[in-house]
Amino acid sequence: MIIDLRSDTVTKPTKSMLEAMLTAEVGDDVYKEDPTVNALEKRLANMFGMDEALFFPTGSMANQAALKLHTNPGEQVICDKYAHIYNYEGGGASFNSGISCKLVDGHRGMFTAEQAEASINPPDFYHSPLTSLIAVENTTNKGGGACWDFEELKKLRKVADTHNLGYHLDGARLWNALIAKDENPEQYGELFDTISVCLSKGLGCPIGSVLMGNKEIMKGAIRVRKILGGGMRQVGYLAAAGLYALDNHFERLTEDHKKAKEIGEVLSQLNQIKKVEPIETNIVIFELNDDIDETQFLNILKDKNIHIIGMGSNKLRMVTHLDYTDQMHKKLLNLLSAF
Ligand SMILES: *Cc1c(COP(=O)(O)O)cnc(C)c1O
């Protein structure tokens, strides 16, 4: 039995999900003729109360399209130093949109409205890049699955309005935040200009992300997706997985969160571990003591068929997910307790 906790992206489609995929009605989505893709987009747009939604192969591509839609070359996006758009999208912000990132020194991937305001370059000071967008992430990935305080997100909306900036949410794991904080999609749809969500993380789809926004900004989205190479044909087979996941894999995220907390409790008892970061959702980040070698620690776990990943600076990460069973959980807790 291999216990793979590297990410919630390692899940494989369940049998029922595969059946839903196999029986999907499809068409050419580049002509917008795939009924299943259209249904998924409509369902998500309704769910968030936003005008339009567009299916993308990856979350990175959905975010990159959003950056392009909000900015012109030479401009600047405000984001946290931990942001996925800055750290993990291959430098796409500069490559695709010709923009730079103004990094905010936030806490666990989140920052305050005051910090964002202080990061805005005065628009008439033509020596600096023009600030045109604020981008936030919920839950935060590198920040350890932390959830934003919704009141702070509202304050950021005000900052964006005052300074005429766009406001984008990288909601790759927004599903986890909605469950953990008992929030609803509409309140996010109301607040943001654009939102990207992933179907391939906690929801357990093999592929798929969706970008949502109002009519005005989404006008150019399909062209940008085409430019990025994301126009796909009979992709309803994949969208069917998304529809299935929304029905069957959303509420169960509480189980992942519960397991993550239980792992954290055991880890915090271990002598080898300096600190376990607060666990709000399905991500557990912990720091090893200075005298413990990271590679050695990872290899000991690997020998026991437990796969986790290093995040740099002696920090390690475990992510619970759909394929991490009760049986695996029991085994892992026993193993860690005996460390
Ligand atoms: C996973 C993730 C994405 C998208 O990743 P892809 O692998 O491109 O689908 C975007 N933002 C965050 C915060 C993520 O965790």
Side-chain angles (χ1 to χ4, degrees), residues 7-9 57-63 82-85 88-89 137-142 170-173 196 198 200-201 208-209 283 317:
S7 174
D8 46 7
T9 55
T58 67
S60 295
M61 197 190 280
N63 281 335
Y82 281 179
H84 196 277
I85 56 166
Y88 303 125
E89 297 184 10
E137 204 172 296
N138 198 21
T139 69
T140 63
N141 177 338
K142 203 172 156 73
D170 176 353
R173 291 192 183 84
S196 64
C198 280
S200 57
K201 299 261 166 90
S209 284
I283 302 180
R317 185 182 85 166

Side-chain angles (χ1 to χ4, degrees), residues 236-257:
Y237 291 117
L238 299 169
L243 286 165
Y244 177 87
L246 288 171
D247 285 332
N248 298 284
H249 294 168
F250 180 26
E251 300 293 335
R252 65 153 302 285
L253 291 173
T254 46
E255 291 173 37
D256 297 346
H257 298 177

